[in-house]
Amino acid sequence: MAKQNVAEQFVDILVRAGVKRMYGVVGDSLNPVVDAVRRTPGIDWVHVRHEEAAAFAAGAEAQITGQLTACAGSCGPGNLHLINGLYDAHRSMAPVLALASHIPSSEIGLGYFQETHPELLFRECSHYCEMISSPEQMPRLLQTAIQNAIGQGGVSVVTMPGDIADKPAPEKSIETALVTERPSVRPGESEIAKLVDMIDKAGKVTLFCGSGTAGAHDEVMEFAEKLKAPVGHALRGKEWIEYDNPFDVGMSGLLGYGAAYEATHECDLLILLGTDFPYNAFLPDDVKIAQVDVRPQHLGRRSKLDLAIWGDVRETLRCLTPLVRTKTSRRFLDRMLKKHAEALEGVVSAYTRKVDKHVPIHPEYVASVLDDLADDDAVFTVDTGMNNVWAARYITPNGKRRVIGSFSHGSMANALPQAIGAQLIERDRQVVSMSGDGGFSMLMGDFLTLVQLDLPVKVVLFNNSSLGMVELEMLVGGLPAFGTSNHNPDFAAVARACGAYGVRVEKPKQLAGALKDAFKHDGPALVDVVTDPNALSIPPKIKAEMVTGFALSASKMVLDGGVGKMLQMARSNLRNIPRP
């Protein structure tokens, strides 16, 4: 049997760790690893057009599967292109292993062609970032990187010079068992007892949920029922907690809606469940706060806590719920449910007034029709900016759908490359990229990746020929809109020129048929929808600081654009309030 080189050993370990794909662009120092991927069963090389897309795709795959994924870039400029997508993956806590290939080891530090120092450059967007400078460091260094990515949830970066990758691997290298799944973390008995005491003493309790409630929907509902507690959520908690929720009072934050703000400020005890919600201006400073999080570094960094609980949400609630006393009064919960329904009634009119006849098309209408026609288990990838608004308000979660975006890092151009990673997991599952014209055009080259790989991603392009969110920020800040307009082509024609299905929609009556035809198409498709750039209305008393930095100090809505099916759910929950 031929002796392995370091690159082959590297790839074998990735396969052992469950990695099924490595995303990237081939080149020079990376060639030994790419060739090892070519010859190794169980792992595929995914050729993209830009390394940033590779990192976004890997991050999306990791978010959906919860498993380790990988991406790679060649020396210097190649791996530098990874950095934005890796920041997003890291801040989304997606386990990603990035290979930053390097110049020949004998030339490091001498100003060689394409020289950078990736072991320094990637430190801020990774839990672990080290260089393999000799074959003897394999496989221990890679194994350490993998376990950091999986164990801490985020990115690990391994730098490896091309000449090291081509050298023979050590004959008696140590290969240890790999950690491939995170454990459940149960809080200590004393912390549980303290929280039980706080809950039993509080008259009014509100739960505020984030992405850490994934897999804990039933436990949260049981807990809320026992406490008669309103349940609000952050944007990243929406897909996990909003559906089948008779206690729902909406979302807090700049894009928020409903009564979540009031519920978190008018309670006696606020319990933060699995959320690292960054906008502390939305959180109260005059109520007691307890926080539950599996990552202890998140505890207390957004607000002053009265109790910090280190544990994952599901295990914590399984311990906690049987111990707390059942609250009998629904007065606070019912009042918040009524406020929530009233708040949604107040904004829905902006969506219902002749929206199906308005030209240019209201983006709210596009999102609403998309929500109706998309599959029950569709994956939506959402561009940053106004598309976050439409996804937050119109895409209806149901426990099977997924909504992926750059919700923590806030990068443009994320939706299309994330759709690549989402679609490669399961080609028969519907994947919809909710793209803005600004984000789509930024990484438009990777639309060619959809065509080359024949990925049936459906790109729904909200084309308002502007950077809408930035324009809003300028207007609210008292500045004239400047540098925000885009001179766009007919994107549907571009799609057809690339070899994909493309259709342009300029009238509302064309929309449903265009989406249905695109969804039926067996391959990549793009629906270029010309939307109204003036679809937003700005309340007269909103101040600049309420938008700048995404910090609101009041419960007023910045954006008035309807709330889709959430109003129906709020009305249904009101009907379920017991009558005296």
Side-chain angles (χ1 to χ4, degrees), residues 74-77 79-80 101-103 108-109 112-119 121-122:
S74 59
C75 62
N79 62 60
L80 280 178
S101 190
H102 206 1
I103 63 173
I108 295 173
Y112 191 72
F113 176 65
Q114 295 188 322
E115 181 173 9
T116 59
H117 291 87
E119 74 279 11
L121 288 165
F122 291 97

Side-chain angles (χ1 to χ4, degrees), residues 16 61 81 122 133 193 205 252 351 359 364 474 485:
R16 285 180 53 219
E61 181 184 332
H81 284 159
F122 291 97
S133 55
V205 181
S252 194
Y351 163 66
V359 178
E364 306 97 313
M474 289 180 172
S485 61

Side-chain angles (χ1 to χ4, degrees), residues 221-458:
M221 295 304 109
E222 182 184 0
F223 189 52
E225 168 61 37
K226 197 163 188 181
L227 302 185
K228 309 300 183 286
V231 178
H233 59 268
L235 177 56
R236 291 192 65 198
K238 176 184 171 74
E239 63 178 326
W240 306 115
I241 216 69
E242 186 182 74
Y243 69 96
D244 295 340
N245 181 356
F247 314 98
D248 180 60
V249 291
M251 189 173 87
S252 194
L254 177 71
L255 312 183
Y257 47 78
Y261 184 91
E262 288 88 345
T264 57
H265 283 71
E266 296 180 24
C267 59
D268 301 318
L269 173 63
L270 173 61
I271 304 178
L272 306 175
L273 295 175
T275 179
D276 192 35
F277 181 70
Y279 312 127
N280 55 9
F282 287 91
L283 296 173
D285 54 13
D286 58 352
V287 303
K288 289 187 175 182
I289 301 178
Q291 183 177 359
V292 178
D293 206 292
V294 73
R295 294 172 173 83
Q297 67 271 24
H298 290 180
L299 295 169
R301 72 177 183 177
R302 306 301 184 196
S303 58
K304 183 179 180 298
L305 298 183
D306 294 276
L307 182 63
I309 301 289
W310 181 10
D312 65 58
V313 172
R314 185 168 63 175
E315 287 303 314
T316 299
L317 294 185
R318 285 176 174 176
C319 297
L320 186 64
T321 302
L323 300 178
V324 298
R325 289 200 298 265
T326 300
K327 297 188 184 296
T328 56
S329 174
R330 287 182 54 103
R331 184 176 301 173
F332 177 60
L333 170 61
D334 292 346
R335 183 162 62 87
M336 290 299 108
L337 291 176
K338 290 176 182 176
K339 277 194 172 186
H340 179 59
E342 290 167 1
L344 299 192
E345 294 278 5
V347 299
V348 76
S349 60
Y351 163 66
T352 55
R353 284 195 304 267
K354 298 181 180 179
V355 70
D356 58 341
K357 298 180 181 178
H358 188 280
V359 178
I361 302 170
H362 270 304
E364 306 97 313
Y365 180 66
V366 181
S368 179
V369 174
L370 174 61
D371 182 53
D372 286 339
L373 296 180
D375 290 349
D376 286 344
D377 65 345
V379 177
F380 297 88
T381 61
V382 184
D383 260 343
T384 296
M386 294 313 307
N387 278 30
N388 273 195
V389 182
W390 315 136
R393 298 190 178 179
Y394 289 94
I395 300 305
T396 306
N398 57 12
K400 295 182 290 184
R401 285 178 166 180
R402 294 300 313 272
V403 181
I404 303 296
S406 187
F407 299 141
S408 295
H409 186 48
S411 172
M412 286 181 65
N414 61 286
L416 173 63
Q418 287 179 329
I420 294 171
Q423 192 71 83
L424 280 166
I425 300 168
E426 191 176 348
R427 286 176 177 263
D428 292 335
R429 187 175 186 181
Q430 188 181 76
V431 176
V432 179
S433 173
M434 293 177 64
S435 296
D437 57 289
F440 179 76
S441 57
M442 185 177 282
L443 282 177
M444 189 165 58
D446 269 286
F447 188 78
L448 295 170
T449 301
L450 300 183
V451 177
Q452 182 162 330
L453 300 179
D454 194 28
L455 295 176
V457 170
K458 313 307 177 189

